[in-house]
Amino acid sequence: MQADTSNTPVLEVRGLTKSFGAVQALSGADLVCPRGEVTALVGDNGAGKSTLIRCITGVHPFDEGEIHFNGEPIRLASPTEARARGIETVYQDLALIEDLTVWQNMFLNREIKRGFGPFRLLDRRRMIADSQTRLKRLLVNMPPVRARVRRLSGGQRQSIAIGRAASWGSTLVIMDEPTAALGVRERESVEQLIGRLRSDNIAQLIISHDLEQVMRVADTVWIMRRGATIAHWRVADVSRERIVAAITGADGGDARASAANDRATVVE
């Protein structure tokens, strides 16, 4: 009989540390991403957000601490292992090839072939149809899957990158500044996509400097400062001003003390 994992967080990070020589990049980072929720990770530049994400996704090995995925302790050795587990990351550069079409980007490194033995060919028809089906379910204003990426707007590119990540049976989608440099209408389109992924019960982790967006789309916000997680709140229970005070240290350490008291019950 399989254990019920419906209430188990998709991702749980406990006390992660990471040093690069004499530089302590992480000094006790915690994080929880519940299933079907949007979790925001915020902090000033150099707070440790990017290092934490790279440790989660197998880019960097962490020194101490634990990472649990669907309740199972893991230590990933590469982003390929992360993808195999259902962890997809959308970076700011989107990792889209501009001279390829939408469907070719969808199946990049996942190409479908037909035939036998050494005579296998790319099944273009199937990949085009599959791309259409996958993206139509997620995107309201879907660009033609035969269009080259270089002809798409910034919002369309971002939506394609997120849609690609979410369409591969992902359990957790990590997004780094998902709407940076987008216009108002394009940002709204991406935020609607984030809402649809939540409805599909996909856990999402968003790294963002846009606190207004965090207040709009996130369920929980986690604050990092100097390599450590110093606070976390349900967005409905916290003000933007209190988040800013925690990020900058203007709270006088109250957030860090609160986080220390909560550390033993971080799953809650």
Side-chain angles (χ1 to χ4, degrees):
M1 178 182 297
Q2 289 186 330
D4 182 7
T5 61
S6 58
N7 294 320
T8 302
V10 169
L11 176 72
E12 184 178 356
V13 177
R14 303 173 182 170
L16 228 60
T17 67
K18 175 64 180 177
S19 294
F20 297 97
V23 178
Q24 186 80 33
L26 296 178
S27 55
D30 299 323
L31 181 68
V32 173
C33 295
R35 199 175 311 277
E37 291 195 6
V38 179
T39 303
L41 181 64
V42 302
D44 275 340
N45 291 331
K49 305 184 300 297
S50 295
T51 301
L52 177 57
I53 296 308
R54 291 184 178 116
C55 287
I56 291 171
T57 57
V59 176
H60 296 320
F62 55 89
D63 298 331
E64 296 180 350
E66 297 178 343
I67 297 177
H68 289 245
F69 188 68
N70 285 328
E72 176 188 349
I74 62 171
R75 182 182 279 265
L76 302 174
S78 70
T80 301
E81 285 191 19
R83 287 192 294 271
R85 291 268 187 168
I87 302 173
E88 292 278 352
T89 305
V90 180
Y91 294 103
Q92 282 183 275
D93 64 6
L94 303 182
L96 297 175
I97 308 299
E98 290 195 346
D99 287 327
L100 297 183
T101 63
V102 170
W103 73 263
Q104 287 171 322
N105 274 278
M106 284 290 293
F107 280 90
L108 194 62
N109 297 321
R110 290 184 170 102
E111 292 82 359
I112 298 175
K113 296 181 179 181
R114 56 185 172 82
F116 301 94
F119 303 105
R120 303 183 69 198
L121 301 173
L122 292 177
D123 194 337
R124 296 166 58 91
R125 182 176 298 178
R126 181 177 171 187
M127 287 188 284
I128 290 170
D130 200 357
S131 297
Q132 183 103 9
T133 300
R134 289 172 183 268
L135 292 176
K136 188 175 182 179
R137 185 178 63 85
L138 293 171
L139 307 184
V140 174
N141 298 313
M142 189 185 76
V145 296
R146 298 174 187 266
R148 296 198 182 276
V149 166
R150 69 167 55 256
R151 296 187 177 181
L152 304 183
S153 68
Q156 287 176 319
R157 295 183 191 199
Q158 188 67 269
S159 295
I160 292 299
I162 296 172
R164 178 178 64 180
S167 70
W168 290 104
S170 302
T171 305
L172 171 65
V173 176
I174 301 172
M175 306 180 207
D176 186 4
E177 300 289 351
T179 58
L182 296 185
V184 173
R185 184 174 296 180
E186 293 180 327
R187 184 178 64 236
E188 289 176 351
S189 178
V190 172
E191 289 180 4
Q192 289 173 5
L193 174 55
I194 290 171
R196 284 192 287 278
L197 298 187
R198 179 199 278 121
S199 299
D200 286 346
N201 212 33
I202 294 176
Q204 299 170 80
L205 174 58
I206 296 177
I207 300 89
S208 180
H209 285 95
D210 185 346
L211 294 186
E212 298 297 337
Q213 181 180 71
V214 167
M215 302 302 288
R216 284 195 302 271
V217 306
D219 299 288
T220 307
V221 57
W222 291 71
I223 318 296
M224 289 195 73
R225 193 164 76 228
R226 297 179 181 177
T229 306
I230 60 151
H232 64 278
W233 294 287
R234 300 293 295 180
V235 168
D237 299 331
V238 69
S239 67
R240 182 183 182 278
E241 291 71 24
R242 191 175 184 190
I243 294 174
V244 172
I247 290 172
T248 61
D251 59 357
D254 290 345
R256 184 181 292 272
S258 174
N261 292 334
D262 291 344
R263 190 179 294 272
T265 56
V266 68
V267 175
E268 300 177 5

